[in-house]
Each structure stands twice: as C-alpha cells, then as structure tokens.
Amino acid sequence: MIYAKNLSISYDKKNVVSNFTMNINEGEIVSIIGPNGSGKSTVLKVISRLMKSSNGAAFLDGSDVHSLPTKEVAKKLAILCQHNHSPSDCTVRDLISYGRVPHKQWYEFNNYDDNSIVDWAIEVTGLNEFEHRYVTTLSGGERQRAWVAMALAQKTKVLILDEPTTYLDVSHQLEVMELLKKINEEYKITIIMVLHDLNQASKYSDRMYVINKGKLVMEGRPSEVITKKMLRDVYKIDAHISVEQVSGKPLFYPLGLIKNNDRIEKSNKIVKIREAQ
Amino acid sequence: MTSQSAKDAQIEIRKRLAKRIGIFIAEISLLVVLAVISLRFGSVRFSTGEIINALIDGSDSTIRIIVMHIRMPRTALAILVGASLATSGALLQAVLRNPLASPGLIGVISGASLSAITIMLVFPALTALVPFAAFIGGLVATLLVFTLAWKKGMSTIRIILAGVAVNAMLGGGTSLLSVLYSDRIQGIIMWLNGTLAGKSWDQVKLLWPYVAVGLLVALLSVNVANSLQLGDEAAKNLGVRLNLARTVLCATAAFLAGISVAVVGIIGFIGLIVPHVSRLLVGSDYRFMLPSSAILGAVLLVSADIVARTVFSPIELPVGVIMAVIGGPFFLYLLRKVRGYGQ
Amino acid sequence: MKRFFALILVIILASVALIGCGVQEEETKEADLQEKEVSETSEKNTSEKADQADEQTEDTSSNDKFVLIDFEGNELVLEKMPENIVPISYSLALILNELGVELAAMTSSRRELPDNLVDITKVGNPMRPDIEQIVAVEADLVIMSPRFLAMHTETFKEHDIAFIGIDNSTYEDTKKLIRNFGKAFNAVEKAQEIIAKFEEREKIVMDRISGKEAPRVMIMHGSAGTFTLARDITFAGSLVKMLGGINVTEGLPLEDSLGAYVPFSQEQVVKINPDIILRVAHGRAEDTKKMFEDEFNTNPVWQEISAVQNGRVYDMDNALFFANPGLRAIESLELIAEILYP
C-alpha cells in the first residue's frame, strides 16, 4: 500500500534521513520509533507529501506520491500532525466538516451526503455531546479525537499520525489509541504513526520500524523489535523486557542509562538477583 | 445518534445560521439606509421636498446636478471602494494568518502611491493617466514582494518581511519626490489622505467592472480561505495547493486594493479593521465573514464620507482621518462586548 | 470601573493621535513649499497689528548701523551694514538685486535668473538650506520667509549668523518690503523708483476698473479631481481681493485656524456658481490646462457652473501666480485685472 524506497531526505543541506526503505500493507497498524531527532517525523512528512525527498521515492498504491495531484493524495491519505490550530469559533462539527474538502471542488459547499459522513465520523469518535462545542474549549483528548474525526471524514484508506498522544495524560492517551484501534479493526484503515511511548507502540502495532540517526535499524513485529539489544544500541538504556500476559506483546521497563561498564555490571547483577528469586 | 441529540444538533445548526443571516440582513439594511442619507445630506442644505421635486421634474438643475452627479457617484464609489478594501484585507488575513495583515503589507499601496505621485509631481501634464499608473504600480510592487518572498514556496513570514522591505524602499522614493518637488506638494495632499471629493460617474464606470471581478473571485475562494486557517500542514493534508492558493488570494487582494488606491488615493484602515469587526459579528467562517466584510467596508466608507463632507462644510476633510476616528473606538467597544474572540 | 476608564482613555488617546497625525501631516506637507506661497493667518494678524511699525521711519544712511524691520514689525539692528547677504528666497533675491544690493549667495532655483545672479553661490532651498555653503560664504545676514526661517533659527544662532524673516505673500507685502529694503540698504532712491513704477501701473488698473461690478472668483489648485481653493491670504487671492473680486472661500467657519489652501466641497462650488475660475497648478499654463480639461469638458458638474458656460475659465502661469514673484508682482496684478474685468 505504502512503499518508501531508499528515501534520503535533507534539511538545509544536512542529511536527515538516508536510504530508508519501508513497506506497509493494507490494514496494518505500523509505528515508527526512534530517539529524538532520528528523522521519524521527517519520514512521515515525505510519505504524506508534505515534504520532498532528495533521493528515493515514496509510493502510494503503486504511484509516486509526488506525481499525484495534491487533492488525489488527500482522498487516499490523511495526516495528522503534532501541532494543530483551529479558529476560536470553530465548532467540532465545523472542524470535522473540513474533512470533506478534498472531495469537493473549490467553490462547492457540503451537501447531504457530506453531512451524513460527518455524522458518522462524530459517531465513531464518540463526540456526539461535543458536536457544537468550540474545539478550543475541549480537553486535550477530546480535541485530539475531533482532529481524528476530521481525518476520518476524509474517508481515506490510510491515516498517518505524528505523535498523536505525546501531550496527553494517561487516560486521554488510551482514549485516542483505543479509537485508532477501533477504526483500524472496523473500517480497515491502515494506520502509520510515530510514537514515543514504546509500550504503547508495542501494544497497538502489528509491526514496527526503528530509525536511528536517519537510518533504518530494524523492523518487524513488536516481539522482534523490543529487545534489550535494540534498547541498548538505539536508546542507550538498559531495560528489562517481559511479556504482557493478555496481549502477548513485549513490555519494557527501563532500568537505567548506559554511561559506562560499571552501570551495566550493576544492573546485570540486579537482574540476576531478581531472576534468582 | 439518538433522535433527541440529532434534533438538538439540528436546532443548534439552525440557530447559528439564523443568527448569521440576521446579521447579514441588518448589515445590508444599514448600507441602504446610509446610501439614502448620503444622497439626502451633503455640504449644501436642501429639504427632502426640494430634492424629490428636482429629481422628478428636473426643475432645479442645481439640485439635480448636485444629487445625481456629485452625491450619487460618490456614494457608489464609496460602496465599491469600501467593499474592495475590506475584502482585500480579509483575504490577506487568511493567507498570512496574521491579524495585523492589511493591503498595505504586501506593497500594493506604496507601489500605487509612488506611481501616482510620480505623475502628479513630475509629469503633471499626464494627470489623466494617474489611475492606470497607480494600478500598474501597485501590481508591480506586489509582484516584487512575491518574487522576493519566493524560496521554493511562499511562507507567511517571508511574505511579511518582503512586504516590509518593499514598503520601506517605495516609501523612501515617495519621500524623496516630496522633497525634490516640494513646491508641488499642495495638489496631492488630498490624494495622500484619500478622498472621494471631486469624483464623478467616470470613475465609477471605470472602477465597477474590476471590482465586480475581484469580488467574485474572492467569494469563490472562501473555502480555500477557510482551509488555510487550519495551518499549513492541515491545509496541505486537505489537498489545498498552498502556493497556488496563496498566490491567487494575494493577487486578488492586491488587485482589489490597487484599483481602489488608483481611483481614490490612499485610504488605510479599512482593510485592517473591517475583517475583524466582521469576524466578531458573524464568526470566522469565510463563507459568511467575507461577504459581511465587503458590506461592512462599504458601510464604513459611506459613513465616513458623509461625515467628511458635512461636518465642516464647505470644507472637505480627508476621508481616511474620519474613518480612523469612527472605526477604532467602535472596534474597541465590540472587543469588550463579544466573548469568545481571541481567546 | 477601572477597566472602563482605561477603555475611555485608550479611545481618547487613539482618536487624538489619529487626528493629530492627520493634522501634522498636513502641516508638514504645507511646509514643503519652496517659495513662500503660504502665509499663515497668524502672521497676517501680527503684521496687521504691527502696521504702524511696518514702515521704517529712520533713514539709516547717516549712521553706520543697519536696521531692518521683520514680518512681525520687530527691528533687526546690526552694528554695521552686512557685507555677505544671503536671501534664501527667489523673489527677495531678485528684489535685492534690483535695488543694487550685492549678494554673497542665494537660494537655489529652477527659475530664470538675471545674468549677474546666474553664477553666484547657491545654497539649497528654504526647506533644507545648505548650512555649509552659507558658512562658507561667511554670511552675516540671512533673509528668508518667516515660515521657513522658523525651522532654522537654532542653526543660524549656532553659527552666529544674523537672520530676518521677511514676508512676501500679498501684493501689499511686496511694496512694503521694497521700501524697507531701500531704507535699510541705503537704496532709498532706487526703491522709490521701483515703487513709483508699480504705483503708476496700479493707478491705471484701478482707474479702469473703478465702478465695475465685482465678480465671484474661485482659485483652484491641484487637479479637477482633487483640488484645493486658494484663500485671499495667498498671493493670487490677495490680488483678487485688491481688485474687488469676491473669493468664494470668504466667510468660512474656523477661519483663523485654516491654512491658505482649503479642500472645498464640490457641492458648494455648484451652489455658489462662481463667475470666474482661475486654475493654478504646478507648471506652465499648458500643463495646467491638461490637468483640468478632461473633467471640465465632460463632467456635467462643471458644465453646470456659469464660469464654465461663459468660457471664463483661465489657466494661470505658475511663475506669476503660484507664489509672489516680487518684482513682477505688478504684472500679475495687471493680468488678473484683465481677466476679472475684461
């Protein structure tokens, strides 16, 4: 569905991403993880046509994403960036209605069908009681849901999200992630997201890509990716990995930063003691 | 959705729509009333009876001339120019996403001024060409701003900075001419402050087709303007071609401002304040806010013109100063009254 | 309560600032005039008050002191006759030159100069005189219009240069100052000669027009679209008044605080229906004509006015009518007399 081949991206002559290849199948939930500044958001922006790559190409359903007209891409792919802004008198319903823009001519207004789709998006995201509230008056989680609803109203097959949960508290984070899971399962929407919370990524993803310093480090199912070695090499942390009983997905518990060998010895000792118990 | 909340939703939507349409109708009525007042009152006093008689049977040609060839074209011009400037400001505020955006920012006004002043001071024999020169000058200046701002696309910051630079240069040129030809400054003082004095049907005939085109394009771009308000990335996500949208909207804004300045001189303030007032009244949805801005712009300019020619009759004041005195305080008042704006 | 007052304060300040800016702009632009076309009403009032003291009674040729009366009626006394005189005014320079006074330098001007003045040092315009040049010629007396002088008095004081403001706005001003210059510069006879010639021609004019009906006159500046009207404190206006013409700008509200040119309502012009329209603009008469022609020919508003209907619209030469030309002022008077009373 989405295929990024040998992407190299630079900002102001600085190479941010080199030779990144990614292949995403329809209906998957895929997350991209990596340390700050590793180039994750940049990759998202290139595959969603917000940015151009200096080398390599991104393909959507077989066509080069940059050769397609912007509007066409908007009908197939929706991206939700980190910082979003709505006018202070924009209601939830108003915001979601924007999602229909890619499907209209620049001079057209929303018709009955469009309104039904908006209704549907409101329903799916559970925003019924907030429909006429101003978006700026909602809580973080509710607001994020409203933006997801707008992306839903776009009726795309792919939804890309850049750090959708970073500024939210635990319960709101769950709200959003559960919503994403639901729309993936019920409506078969492919989801690609950048997440900082590794456990969250592990829990909700089918597959994960790890990127570090602009290069692809590894990819695979969460159980293959969330390993002590990966965490040590990429994040420079020492961690304890266990398996979450209900989902079977790996859970990591950070133990400490890796600064020198001493530290490693110490933490190894602790682990050994625990295992012994 | 339960049927109850569906009904509630319907009611909410209807209420807001009704409110907006109500305000619309109020604005249009206000405009009509002001237009009538503009015809009825002026620097020369006539009674209503005298005016009506003169119009019907053409007996008193002085009254007829004054009402039909001075007041009417002035009122028509005020409506056209007020609407153009307000719309121009609204479009620019959408593109630049900056509440301080006004037509002056993109160089069109200083460009038009410099051309017009060059002719009036240096080649006074060519005065008849002032409107065309001003128009071309305005567009060239805007083009200059765009060219400077372009760097693989047009970002908001670059447009604003380029605008500031171009304004400074052109303003310097204007000042230079003022000093070099200081003995001829007298004639252009009124132009520099914007005036509808001495305008006739000729100017109206010249202006209205351009205004019609400009306003039409503006009205058709309301959806794009709305999308731009969500931010660059969200707008791009929705399939808006950012550079094209920005260029078209800026060009339309420059066009509308350029033709206005070309005919009546420099009238600032409308492009900056009227869109905000409109936003306070009908909200920031450009489908309502844009037409409302156009009407309010007309209302403001017609009012200011009435005051400009009656208050110190027979002396004419420049209409730009009147407008600032009316508009500024009114805006402050609204800001206090209406909640939810700028929060 | 506090917020309410703060709001009122802001509104008042904003309004005042805006009006102030508008007025200030007007004032600065008025000051941009190169020649002394604008004579402030206050100056006129003071000069009226000082009428008695306007004429120099002393004949200073006997002692060595130099005495000259300025526009307000005050005396400027110098210990001895100044040697390096710099008039920063075209008309004053020409008058002094005609009186035989030797000039060290004079104002820059694009206008025609008598042969002996073509090569002398030029010191810029009254708005921005070149102080270096003035100091370089060792000026000991600067003469200019009071309006512009006010901007530079500090500078002249710093450099220890004597200065005096001489008003040459109206026709009467011209005669007065010629007499005063004559007395101050020991050129009494020459001055009387010039004045005599003026008055000779004046008499002819006044005799011819006596008893004739006074026409209503409008003096327009600018272009047909954006025009201002000249009041009788301008040069052209003063001539019209002297000849008994009625300026349409007479009797305005707030008269004392108005400048010499007022933006006038077109409606009033139609109502007043002047008999004669004088058009004065920046350049030569042909150029002026073009600026007004189109409008006057096509716009029914202008066609309605009797001056236009009777063909009594005249384009005036800038050189003779925009500012008081000084020596040629009598020509200006004669021309206007012909126009007003054909």
Side-chain angles (χ1 to χ4, degrees), chain C residues 208-209 212 215 276 312 314 336-342:
Chain C
R208 183 173 75 77
I209 71 172
K212 294 206 177 172
I276 300 179
R312 299 195 68 193
Y314 306 90
I336 293 207
E338 294 225 5
I339 289 174
L340 263 50
Y341 304 98

Side-chain angles (χ1 to χ4, degrees), chain B residues 162-234:
Chain B
V164 169
V166 170
N167 278 334
M169 292 192 296
L170 297 180
T174 304
S175 299
L176 183 65
L177 282 180
S178 308
V179 169
L180 290 178
Y181 290 89
S182 54
D183 53 335
R184 301 180 181 179
I185 271 284
Q186 190 58 46
I188 69 170
I189 287 184
M190 286 302 274
W191 197 91
L192 285 174
N193 281 306
T195 180
L196 293 168
K199 304 299 176 194
S200 64
W201 283 114
D202 278 347
Q203 272 89 4
V204 176
K205 280 186 217 148
L206 178 65
L207 194 59
W208 82 264
Y210 296 105
V211 171
V213 166
L215 289 182
L216 190 63
V217 172
L219 280 175
L220 292 177
S221 351
V222 287
N223 281 331
V224 171
N226 273 338
S227 305
L228 287 177
Q229 292 189 91
L230 297 179
D232 282 359
E233 288 166 337

Side-chain angles (χ1 to χ4, degrees), chain A:
Chain A
M1 171 123 246
I2 298 226
Y3 176 45
K5 179 175 168 180
N6 293 36
L7 284 183
S8 287
I9 313 168
S10 348
Y11 264 138
D12 295 330
K13 311 224 167 119
K14 227 181 63 166
N15 218 350
V16 172
V17 172
S18 16
N19 243 330
F20 184 86
T21 297
M22 180 168 77
N23 196 352
I24 301 180
N25 305 314
E26 197 172 340
E28 281 193 299
I29 299 186
V30 172
S31 40
I32 305 179
I33 61 171
N36 280 342
S38 51
K40 321 187 283 294
S41 303
T42 316
V43 167
L44 281 195
K45 288 193 176 142
V46 168
I47 60 179
S48 65
R49 209 180 182 278
L50 288 184
M51 260 182 80
K52 267 203 158 116
S53 62
S54 38
N55 252 327
F59 297 89
L60 174 62
D61 268 350
S63 335
D64 185 341
V65 112
H66 280 283
S67 67
L68 291 172
T70 321
K71 225 174 183 182
E72 283 308 307
V73 175
K75 291 189 207 168
K76 300 191 176 161
L77 184 163
I79 172 162
L80 187 54
C81 291
Q82 263 195 302
H83 304 287
N84 289 302
H85 171 265
S86 66
S88 48
D89 63 344
C90 181
T91 64
V92 166
R93 192 183 179 89
D94 289 337
L95 181 65
I96 300 175
S97 308
Y98 275 109
R100 300 306 303 153
V101 164
H103 299 271
K104 326 287 309 170
Q105 293 298 329
W106 56 288
Y107 48 82
E108 272 184 320
F109 295 111
N110 284 350
N111 57 26
Y112 181 75
D113 289 330
D114 296 309
N115 285 329
S116 311
I117 295 177
V118 172
D119 289 337
W120 165 77
I122 294 178
E123 185 77 42
V124 168
T125 51
L127 289 170
N128 308 51
E129 55 184 290
F130 300 112
E131 195 177 337
H132 296 288
R133 293 262 304 270
Y134 293 143
V135 172
T136 43
T137 62
L138 297 180
S139 75
E142 292 154 357
R143 207 179 311 167
Q144 199 68 305
R145 281 194 295 168
W147 284 92
V148 170
M150 178 182 108
L152 270 187
Q154 256 174 280
K155 285 249 149 197
T156 54
K157 294 226 219 110
V158 180
L159 175 56
I160 303 180
L161 306 113
D162 191 353
E163 299 193 35
T165 55
T166 301
Y167 298 105
L168 303 177
D169 66 35
V170 164
S171 60
H172 288 138
Q173 287 193 14
L174 258 185
E175 244 181 88
V176 172
M177 294 309 295
E178 286 295 315
L179 173 61
L180 292 177
K181 179 166 157 205
K182 171 173 148 185
I183 61 181
N184 170 258
E185 284 172 359
E186 287 183 23
Y187 302 100
K188 306 286 181 257
I189 295 179
T190 311
I191 297 190
I192 308 172
M193 50 192 178
V194 162
L195 289 175
H196 270 307
D197 185 334
L198 298 179
N199 287 331
Q200 220 173 56
S202 155
K203 176 174 180 198
Y204 289 96
S205 314
D206 298 324
R207 277 189 312 129
M208 298 170 67
Y209 281 81
V210 183
I211 187 172
N212 188 16
K213 299 201 178 87
K215 294 199 171 56
L216 173 64
V217 172
M218 63 193 302
E219 66 98 355
R221 294 194 302 279
S223 51
E224 296 165 356
V225 165
I226 307 285
T227 62
K228 282 167 72 97
K229 183 171 187 318
M230 189 281 283
L231 289 163
R232 198 181 315 144
D233 293 339
V234 175
Y235 284 93
K236 306 265 183 295
I237 59 176
D238 199 34
H240 173 61
I241 314 281
S242 58
V243 177
E244 204 276 310
Q245 284 175 342
V246 176
S247 61
K249 295 270 179 76
L251 250 184
F252 94 102
Y253 184 80
L255 293 174
L257 287 173
I258 297 180
K259 284 217 176 112
N260 46 42
N261 287 331
D262 269 343
R263 219 36 205 280
I264 303 179
E265 291 300 316
K266 235 190 228 166
S267 17
N268 280 345
K269 264 203 203 140
I270 298 175
V271 169
K272 286 209 173 93
I273 294 170
R274 289 231 181 89
E275 283 175 349
Q277 284 169 349

Side-chain angles (χ1 to χ4, degrees), chain C residues 29-41:
Chain C
K29 298 217 165 88
E30 276 193 58
D32 273 347
L33 296 172
Q34 187 168 352
E35 303 288 340
K36 318 178 300 276
E37 299 92 350
V38 180
S39 149
E40 279 197 323
T41 321

Side-chain angles (χ1 to χ4, degrees), chain B residues 23-35:
Chain B
I23 294 188
F24 235 71
I25 296 183
E27 288 173 353
I28 297 184
S29 317
L30 184 59
L31 184 60
V32 170
V33 165
L34 282 172

